[in-house]
Amino acid sequence: MAVPRRIPVRFEDVFPAGAFVLGVEAANDYEKSKAGVADPQERDPNTGERIWTVRVLDPDPAARQAELKVKVPSQVQPVLPEALPGTPFRPVLFEGMTVTPWVDTNGQFPKQAYAMRALRLRPVGPVRRQPGVAA
């Protein structure tokens, strides 16, 4: 059976009510941090790009967790979308999402958990097409 380690998922399936960015920070590699390396930021094993942790609010009332983290590779810190006028909410779309299931053994009873990644994030709204590029 050829099940990928990272399972591709659609943004709409993970965040049916949309998603709002709360913040972004460098994802540190635990082993590098423990060893005292000068630049402990996690790197993507395939591309070498830096990994950033994007904190996300899931407004779906049926969601198991209201706040989630999505890791995104980028050489520079991703630019957060603008807040909706008169609110602190920054709607976002993640492209190229994957989930990696794992067992969380912290606590008395183990439970199923998921690590989420995306290739990129972008603001909600129309996609800007580059001139001369076919849709």
Side-chain angles (χ1 to χ4, degrees), residues 26-90:
N28 286 335
D29 182 304
Y30 175 76
E31 294 299 325
K32 288 181 182 177
S33 294
K34 195 168 92 172
V37 175
D39 181 12
Q41 189 167 0
E42 185 180 344
R43 301 286 199 275
D44 184 280
N46 299 324
T47 65
E49 289 184 299
R50 295 175 178 276
I51 301 292
W52 303 89
T53 300
V54 182
R55 291 181 29 246
V56 181
L57 175 68
D58 184 350
D60 186 350
R64 283 183 8 186
Q65 290 178 263
E67 185 177 327
L68 304 162
K69 294 179 180 179
V70 179
K71 289 189 174 184
V72 178
S74 178
Q75 285 296 41
V76 295
Q77 183 172 339
V79 176
L80 300 182
E82 292 296 318
L84 292 173
T87 75
F89 299 110
R90 300 170 180 271

Side-chain angles (χ1 to χ4, degrees), residues 110-131:
K111 61 184 176 183
Q112 181 71 56
Y114 299 93
M116 288 187 275
R117 287 184 175 257
L119 293 177
R120 68 194 65 80
L121 64 91
R122 70 173 178 85
V124 172
V127 177
R128 293 194 177 112
R129 304 256 184 241
Q130 294 180 353

Side-chain angles (χ1 to χ4, degrees), residues 3 26 38 50 56-58 63 65 88 93 95 99 103 106-107 109 117-118 123:
V3 177
R50 295 175 178 276
V56 181
L57 175 68
D58 184 350
Q65 290 178 263
L93 287 173
E95 297 176 341
V99 296
V103 178
N106 294 318
F109 301 103
R117 287 184 175 257

